[in-house]
Amino acid sequence: MDRLLSDDLWPTVKRLGKKAARKRAAIAYVTNEEYLSFGEGDELITDASDAAIASGQTSARVLSDAVTRGAKVFSLSGLHAKVILLDGTAILGSANLSASSATSLIEAAWLS
C-alpha cells in the first residue's frame, strides 16, 4: 500500500482515522481535529509549550478535548515531527494537523 499523498492527504487520513482502532501520532502543531481526532486509547505527542499555545500554533482546546475523550497527550517543546500511525498504517510527511495544512498549503506524505 506504499504511495505518496498530496492533494488526497487529509481525506485519506480522515478515512483511515475513522476506521482505526488505535491512533498514535507525533505532530508538531495541532489546531484542528476535523481530519483526525484522538480519543480513548490514542496517543498524541505535540508541541504544547506555553509559546506554541500562546502563538496559536497549537490549540489548548483541541488538546483538552482529546484528553476529555480519553487520549494520552504529551508535550515536547521544539518538536518538528509529522508522523501518524493508524493501526498498522504509517503516514510520514510535512503536514501539521491544522486548517492551513488541509486547505492552503501544499503538503506531502508517504503512506505505508
Side-chain angles (χ1 to χ4, degrees):
M1 169 185 3
D2 290 344
R3 69 183 176 114
L4 182 66
L5 303 172
S6 188
D7 291 342
D8 57 344
L9 171 60
W10 289 114
T12 301
V13 169
K14 186 174 187 175
R15 178 178 51 78
L16 293 173
K18 284 185 178 186
K19 296 188 315 185
R22 185 170 183 207
K23 295 172 260 188
R24 293 173 288 168
I27 303 174
Y29 304 119
V30 176
T31 60
N32 185 305
E33 57 185 355
E34 178 182 346
Y35 295 96
L36 185 64
S37 63
F38 295 87
E40 187 66 37
D42 298 333
E43 297 176 11
L44 171 64
I45 305 168
T46 190
D47 184 345
S49 64
D50 291 342
I53 298 289
S55 68
Q57 292 175 299
T58 295
S59 168
R61 181 196 53 79
V62 169
L63 301 183
S64 177
D65 289 350
V67 169
T68 298
R69 290 190 300 268
K72 293 181 182 176
V73 176
F74 304 92
S75 177
L76 182 58
S77 182
L79 182 70
H80 193 67
K82 284 92 172 174
V83 178
I84 302 169
L85 297 173
L86 304 172
D87 294 333
T89 301
I91 302 165
L92 305 105
S94 64
N96 288 303
L97 188 50
S98 66
S100 61
S101 172
T103 60
S104 61
L105 299 174
I106 299 171
E107 304 283 12
W110 189 255
L111 174 76
S112 181

